[in-house]
Amino acid sequence: MSSSTVSVTAATPTPHPFQLKVDDVKPSKSDINFVIMDYLISEGYPKAAQKFAKEANIQIPAEEDLIQARVDIRVAIHSGDIDTAINKINDLNPQILDTDPALHFALLRLQLVELIKGCTSSANCDITPALTFASAQLAPRAATNPEFLRDLELTMSLLIFLPSESLQPQLADLLKPSLKREVASRVNQAILNSMGRKGEARLRSLTRLRNWAEKKAREAGKDLPPELPLGLQDVEGNLDATNGHSRTDDVMVS
Amino acid sequence: MFRRSSYASVAAGNAGSGQPQASGPARSGSISHLASTSGASPQPVHAHASRSADADGNHSSMSASWARGALLPSYSSQFGYMGYGSYDGQANTFFVPSYLKGSKYAEKLEDLHNARMASARELRSGHSSNAGSLSTSSSSINLHKMASTHRGMTHDIIERAPALADTISPWPTRWSEVDKFEQLEIEDNGRQAKYAGSQKSHDEAASVRADHPMPRQCGIYYFEVTVMSKGKDGRMIGVGFSGPKVPLSRIPGWEPESYAYHGDDGQSFSNTTSGKPYGPKFGTLDCIGCGINFRTGSAFFTKNGNLIGTAFRDLKPDRLYYPTVGMKRPGETLKANFGQEPFSFDIDAMVAEEKASILAEVADVSKSVLMNETAFIQRLVGQYLAHDGYVETAGAFAEESIAEARALATDGTEVPYTEMEEDLDAINRQKIRAAILEGDIDKALKHTKAYYPKVLRDNENIYFKLRCRKFIEMIRQCNELSLRRQAPPTPPSKRSTASNGFRNSIATDDYDSEMELDEQLGVLSGTGQWHADGMDTEDELEDKDAKLQQLLNETINYGTELKAEFAHDPRREVKRALEDTFALIAYENAGQSTLAALLETSGRVPVAEELNSAILVSLGKSSSAALERMLQQTEALVNELAEDGASGSFINVREDFLL
């Protein structure tokens, strides 16, 4: 008798007190839209930014004309055409690479990786171009900085191991698209900084703040529900595991 | 011939006053002035929110839940200025210590203060309007409410007593008149404490605590005390803090839960009569600062603008500490600065440094997380765009991010290709939203009934809001037509037909009774100087008058219908909404009245969002996008972290991360 009433109440669990506090926060749509526009501009999605300006009836920030240049540079880096990327960056502002040797080195190293990949793709390829490039472009820079040197040595060792199915993780990382993505994103931020803009999309900082705050709050023993889902799953439905979107993805990684 | 255009004149049989620019019938100037000031920009604290006022009129965004409560003038006046240091009736003694400017905590307190001011103001204006013109008294109070909440016709359910008022403690503002040793005199609006008595025993001293404890939410709290005059051979002066129950007949530092820096020997004392060597001695005209860093649980002192160093560590996190001073000789006088004026020590820099180190900690992530972050944020944005029905943006964004992924995957290793599915619901929702944003409520209702018949049935309050909004849109049209009657005709070339809210199909001849119209912001805002009515020929004027009268009649019929439908609704918010809406009728030119905020197009946004959310819920989807949820969580988490003076105190999510 009483057990049935219990089960009824259990069916609609009372929300966690913290959830009520969360629900109590009413973010303003215009703030969110501003953050979205900021993201589209700074990460370089010009078409979406234009549509968004129309649909949400907000202004595109003034430096709109430079988005396309940044997009082109990103595309060049992503597709491994580092020469073009470097030229375009210098067209935009030669100071950017001059004042950031680490970034310049990262780009050149990416170029070396591409060269090595090219000349080790088949067994009887010529590795001379890669060697020439390394000694002409990278070696002088590496001499000035132990970190550069280490990176160069690691990259050169690709020559020995490629082509190979089983590289050690450190080497395999050099071949992953994520390296290109990272360098492209650093270049993007350097360009934005050179224009006097806050370098990073606010959405990135916000995401980190969210992760940091949850970590801190849990450390401090605050009364939180075991998980704080965002509901990304609701919309995307069933996700295939190959994309790496697991349940934990929804809760955010930290 | 029909010449008068105000509702009042139609409804009340042409009895109004004759001035064309009258802002309202017999309204006392002082009231409307008060109301309109508050409507335009409630208080300086909101100046930073100017951007946020654009799209949704939700004035203070992240702190909106707060502001909503706080801006409510309904806050009962019995709370008065309690705790705000103005016992002597001075109204504007509210101040924000420099180092707390821009902090969330200061924002909350300021909102609370403004709410109290507003309630006092409302009380006053209520009185004067009763005294002045009985006929408008009731509506003027309602207008004022709407104007100061600045949310257009959103008709939020309003809590009468903001619950947060209890949870937010104010900072010290003055020495307490009660919590002091009897023979201490408090002067200079509570800033100055003077020992007026005669010394009795050697051990006896005279101490006073401030009116409020040092609030943990500050993260760092700091105040300064200047020795105005040492008494005759006076030496023993103590500056520090103590718990609420520490005896005030003792110099601070000697008792348990009492901490101080003493001037006679420069030693620091905590909980005991034996001190520890700490800093230099101090005397007349020296300025001593005292601060607690609640994050680290430590306290420090400054002398004449120089930091001496950490004096106490391991302060207990669950105790209340009040700024406290104590003295021993008659004539000794100490003056406190709780932030009313600039500090001699650069506390702002210390707080800024603390904040910077925390922000750096937040930003510090490893590279591997960075990669996940890029993908994660992309999904977050994509989902938000789809969820909120920005269909074209979502499409363009998907296209661009797929192109990006392809460029990256030239090696052919991974091709993360996700087909952008045509989301029919998103398109329908976008149509409905667009209709509301254009002011075409009928179209929105029609679409909603067709695609989501259940939604309006299940959400009667939204249905009601839509109906009210339609009424407002009708009044907008009348208002505009009436303006046009007085104004020179707009050249056709200036009529934009874009769908961005400036569509102007209300031109005299193509008016259609379906209300497929939109207002023209330009006309509304530009009419201030138009006194002329001489450009039109008599015929055109008459033609316009006919249109206007027809429109007015339709509007009034609609209003009557609306009232009939909801008149017996017992809900308070419905009653209020009806009152507020109908108050608009009183104006000949509502666009220039204190009610103008109600007519603003920004009032459409909340209605559109609410309907969108309701549709999503009816489809079994989450009512808010993941990004929105993330913002909510972030704010709530940081709030949690700020409660006990931890790192969260130094973070203002909106100020530091959104703007």
Side-chain angles (χ1 to χ4, degrees):
Chain A
M1 225 166 82
S2 60
S3 67
S4 71
T5 30
V6 169
S7 70
V8 167
T9 35
T12 49
T14 40
H16 192 280
F18 180 76
Q19 191 54 46
L20 296 177
K21 292 184 196 169
V22 169
D23 294 341
D24 231 29
V25 179
K26 307 280 181 230
S28 110
K29 284 283 173 191
S30 51
D31 276 355
I32 296 178
N33 285 350
F34 178 76
V35 166
I36 293 278
M37 183 54 100
D38 171 70
Y39 167 83
L40 295 176
I41 297 290
S42 61
E43 306 263 320
Y45 298 101
K47 277 187 208 139
Q50 252 149 32
K51 298 274 187 199
F52 193 60
K54 226 167 101 191
E55 282 187 301
N57 201 7
I58 53 177
Q59 292 265 308
I60 291 187
E63 67 267 34
E64 180 206 357
D65 44 328
L66 281 176
I67 301 184
Q68 197 51 50
R70 287 189 286 117
V71 172
D72 293 346
I73 292 167
R74 182 184 73 201
V75 169
I77 297 175
H78 281 178
S79 52
D81 188 357
I82 310 297
D83 249 343
T84 309
I86 290 179
N87 285 338
K88 279 182 191 269
I89 297 168
N90 285 334
D91 286 350
L92 217 56
N93 183 353
Q95 295 259 312
I96 293 172
L97 293 181
D98 284 355
T99 52
D100 192 347
L103 185 60
H104 199 175
F105 186 82
L107 277 164
L108 292 171
R109 189 176 68 135
L110 212 50
Q111 195 167 3
L112 179 61
V113 173
E114 292 300 312
L115 281 169
I116 294 176
K117 268 199 277 188
C119 64
T120 53
S121 53
S122 60
N124 50 359
C125 262
D126 186 9
I127 59 164
T128 333
L131 287 176
T132 322
F133 181 79
S135 59
Q137 297 287 334
L138 286 137
R141 296 170 201 272
T144 65
N145 183 322
E147 209 172 304
F148 292 1
L149 189 62
R150 209 169 44 243
D151 281 351
L152 176 59
E153 284 168 2
L154 186 70
T155 313
M156 290 307 282
S157 64
L158 273 177
L159 274 174
I160 305 164
F161 292 108
L162 278 180
S164 161
E165 290 297 303
S166 54
L167 288 171
Q168 33 164 280
Q170 245 190 328
L171 286 174
D173 280 351
L174 290 177
L175 301 177
K176 280 188 184 155
S178 55
L179 181 68
K180 288 191 255 181
R181 200 172 201 172
E182 188 212 317
V183 175
S185 141
R186 277 170 64 189
V187 167
N188 189 48
Q189 284 183 22
I191 299 173
L192 289 173
N193 288 343
S194 79
M195 293 167 11
R197 232 182 92 102
K198 199 176 157 187
E200 192 176 66
R202 287 165 176 80
L203 203 43
R204 280 188 188 273
S205 333
L206 190 70
T207 308
R208 286 180 205 156
L209 178 65
R210 157 71 179 70
N211 284 342
W212 173 86
E214 182 178 352
K215 195 167 132 254
K216 280 276 172 188
R218 291 201 188 279
E219 276 170 17
K222 300 281 182 190
D223 183 19
L224 301 180
E227 278 184 355
L228 288 172
L230 292 170
L232 267 179
Q233 246 59 4
D234 291 359
V235 172
E236 305 209 344
N238 299 325
L239 292 154
D240 49 326
T242 48
N243 272 356
H245 299 158
S246 61
R247 178 83 187 91
T248 47
D249 198 26
D250 188 35
V251 186
M252 286 176 77
V253 276
S254 52
Chain B
M1 190 75 262
F2 174 69
R3 289 278 175 189
R4 299 271 319 144
S5 61
S6 90
Y7 277 106
S9 60
V10 174
N14 222 347
S17 67
Q19 308 152 351
Q21 293 295 321
S23 65
R27 173 170 308 276
S28 111
S30 67
I31 305 163
S32 49
H33 170 73
L34 271 170
S36 63
T37 338
S38 64
S41 162
Q43 292 292 335
V45 67
H46 288 300
H48 66 265
S50 57
R51 176 172 59 74
S52 77
D54 54 13
D56 60 359
N58 181 351
H59 214 280
S60 56
S61 62
M62 287 303 289
S63 61
S65 59
W66 230 105
R68 203 180 33 178
L71 284 171
L72 290 175
S74 52
Y75 200 90
S76 113
S77 64
Q78 75 216 23
F79 293 100
Y81 293 105
M82 237 199 293
Y84 276 87
S86 53
Y87 299 103
D88 51 0
Q90 283 193 334
N92 268 313
T93 50
F94 184 75
F95 60 89
V96 179
S98 56
Y99 60 95
L100 290 176
K101 290 213 166 88
S103 72
K104 188 76 190 171
Y105 171 59
E107 249 172 39
K108 288 180 184 173
L109 265 191
E110 199 153 354
D111 282 347
L112 185 59
H113 170 76
N114 289 340
R116 287 172 177 165
M117 293 300 283
S119 77
R121 203 161 49 217
E122 180 180 84
L123 208 66
R124 280 201 298 276
S125 65
H127 283 191
S128 61
S129 96
N130 281 336
S133 153
L134 286 168
S135 64
T136 58
S137 62
S138 72
S139 74
S140 86
I141 287 170
N142 281 330
L143 313 189
H144 183 94
K145 271 177 193 150
M146 290 315 291
S148 61
T149 54
H150 206 260
R151 294 204 43 159
M153 286 301 284
T154 53
H155 303 321
D156 271 336
I157 300 167
I158 281 156
E159 315 86 324
R160 285 272 143 177
L164 278 161
D166 303 329
T167 65
I168 179 140
S169 45
W171 46 60
T173 60
R174 52 170 292 145
W175 297 122
S176 169
E177 295 276 11
V178 213
D179 197 13
K180 68 177 179 72
F181 187 73
E182 211 173 314
Q183 282 161 318
L184 270 183
E185 282 176 3
I186 306 300
E187 302 166 337
D188 190 15
N189 281 327
R191 302 265 310 267
Q192 199 153 289
K194 182 178 180 185
Y195 191 12
S198 56
Q199 193 190 10
K200 288 172 191 123
S201 77
H202 179 71
D203 272 357
E204 199 169 70
S207 294
V208 59
R209 275 187 282 270
D211 55 348
H212 296 290
M214 299 156 91
R216 314 193 74 86
Q217 291 101 315
C218 293
I220 290 179
Y221 182 81
Y222 180 80
F223 69 98
E224 284 179 352
V225 170
T226 303
V227 182
M228 299 312 282
S229 76
K230 270 197 310 189
K232 198 178 162 206
D233 69 20
R235 295 173 308 172
M236 180 82 91
I237 291 173
V239 176
F241 48 91
S242 64
K245 296 216 164 74
V246 176
L248 292 160
S249 56
R250 302 270 281 170
I251 205 92
W254 284 5
E255 295 288 311
E257 277 190 43
S258 177
Y259 303 79
Y261 169 33
H262 287 188
D264 58 330
D265 52 11
Q267 294 192 341
S268 67
F269 290 75
S270 60
N271 311 324
T272 164
T273 48
S274 57
K276 289 185 192 143
Y278 173 65
K281 297 175 185 179
F282 61 85
T284 304
L285 291 182
D286 280 331
C287 175
I288 302 304
C290 169
I292 295 184
N293 183 332
F294 288 102
R295 191 170 76 93
T296 57
S298 61
F300 59 91
F301 291 93
T302 67
K303 184 187 171 190
N304 297 329
N306 299 310
L307 181 66
I308 300 173
T310 301
F312 314 110
R313 290 174 210 280
D314 305 322
L315 297 177
K316 302 208 178 65
D318 54 347
R319 303 293 158 89
L320 294 178
Y321 295 120
Y322 291 75
T324 309
V325 290
M327 49 209 113
K328 288 193 91 163
R329 304 281 179 203
E332 282 172 340
T333 309
L334 298 176
K335 182 170 179 169
N337 176 11
F338 294 112
Q340 288 98 335
E341 44 191 66
F343 290 108
S344 72
F345 171 67
D346 192 355
I347 181 69
D348 298 18
M350 183 190 258
V351 171
E353 205 176 291
E354 190 87 4
K355 176 171 177 162
S357 78
I358 288 164
L359 291 184
E361 191 187 317
V362 173
D364 181 35
V365 280
S366 70
K367 271 179 192 163
S368 64
V369 174
L370 208 66
M371 289 304 103
N372 286 339
E373 188 184 277
T374 303
F376 170 79
I377 290 176
Q378 223 167 42
R379 293 177 59 220
L380 211 54
V381 171
Q383 195 256 354
Y384 173 78
L385 295 172
H387 182 279
D388 276 47
Y390 297 109
V391 180
E392 288 188 24
T393 314
F397 182 67
E399 215 171 88
E400 283 180 307
S401 32
I402 287 168
E404 186 187 350
R406 283 211 184 112
L408 265 173
T410 38
D411 309 353
T413 39
E414 44 175 311
V415 187
Y417 185 84
T418 38
E419 187 70 55
M420 173 76 186
E421 62 198 89
E422 276 293 281
D423 187 345
L424 208 66
D425 271 326
I427 293 168
N428 289 338
R429 283 186 288 122
Q430 169 72 350
K431 270 190 209 156
I432 292 168
R433 175 213 302 270
I436 296 177
L437 293 185
E438 280 168 26
D440 191 344
I441 307 297
D442 277 341
K443 189 168 156 197
L445 281 170
K446 200 174 80 193
H447 283 320
T448 312
K449 275 177 188 148
Y451 300 133
Y452 312 105
K454 268 183 66 192
V455 171
L456 291 179
R457 252 182 285 135
D458 295 350
N459 298 278
E460 205 205 343
N461 59 326
I462 295 178
Y463 176 65
F464 171 68
K465 284 178 194 180
L466 282 164
R467 296 285 306 266
C468 278
R469 188 68 217 179
K470 181 181 168 184
F471 188 53
I472 291 171
E473 296 296 339
M474 292 175 94
I475 293 172
R476 285 178 64 88
Q477 287 156 20
C478 294
N479 193 30
E480 187 167 311
L481 209 55
S482 122
L483 284 170
R484 195 160 307 206
R485 197 175 61 90
Q486 302 165 10
T490 318
S493 61
K494 292 215 174 141
R495 290 177 187 162
S496 141
T497 46
S499 61
N500 60 359
F502 290 84
R503 189 163 58 98
N504 170 24
S505 52
I506 200 173
T508 40
D509 289 325
D510 58 2
Y511 166 70
D512 85 50
S513 59
E514 282 278 320
M515 305 287 163
E516 285 255 347
L517 325 154
D518 207 351
E519 83 310 329
Q520 196 191 35
L521 275 173
V523 167
L524 263 184
S525 57
T527 45
Q529 296 86 356
W530 294 352
H531 303 281
D533 58 351
M535 297 287 284
D536 289 343
T537 69
E538 200 63 14
D539 277 355
E540 276 171 347
L541 268 179
E542 282 177 21
D543 187 38
K544 282 179 182 173
D545 280 347
K547 298 272 182 209
L548 185 56
Q549 175 135 44
Q550 186 197 353
L551 187 52
L552 279 170
N553 286 336
E554 277 170 14
T555 309
I556 288 190
N557 285 341
Y558 182 81
T560 320
E561 209 178 284
L562 185 64
K563 198 153 193 170
E565 192 171 340
F566 291 97
H568 303 295
D569 196 300
R571 284 170 299 180
R572 195 183 60 213
E573 65 272 18
V574 169
K575 277 201 165 64
R576 269 184 46 123
L578 279 176
E579 276 173 26
D580 289 337
T581 312
F582 278 85
L584 278 169
I585 302 184
Y587 289 93
E588 177 182 359
N589 184 355
Q592 286 173 26
S593 71
T594 52
L595 274 177
L598 272 186
L599 287 173
E600 267 170 32
T601 46
S602 60
R604 294 168 183 165
V605 181
V607 182
E609 295 302 339
E610 204 165 333
L611 181 55
N612 190 42
S613 297
I615 295 172
L616 283 166
V617 169
S618 81
L619 295 171
K621 293 182 179 176
S622 163
S623 66
S624 53
L627 174 58
E628 201 169 343
R629 190 90 42 92
M630 184 172 99
L631 253 173
Q632 291 177 304
Q633 289 177 358
T634 310
E635 185 86 4
L637 284 165
V638 169
N639 255 335
E640 289 287 309
L641 288 176
E643 257 172 26
D644 40 13
S647 30
S649 312
F650 297 92
I651 294 175
N652 183 333
V653 176
R654 181 162 192 270
E655 292 275 313
D656 301 337
F657 287 84
L658 298 184
L659 301 183

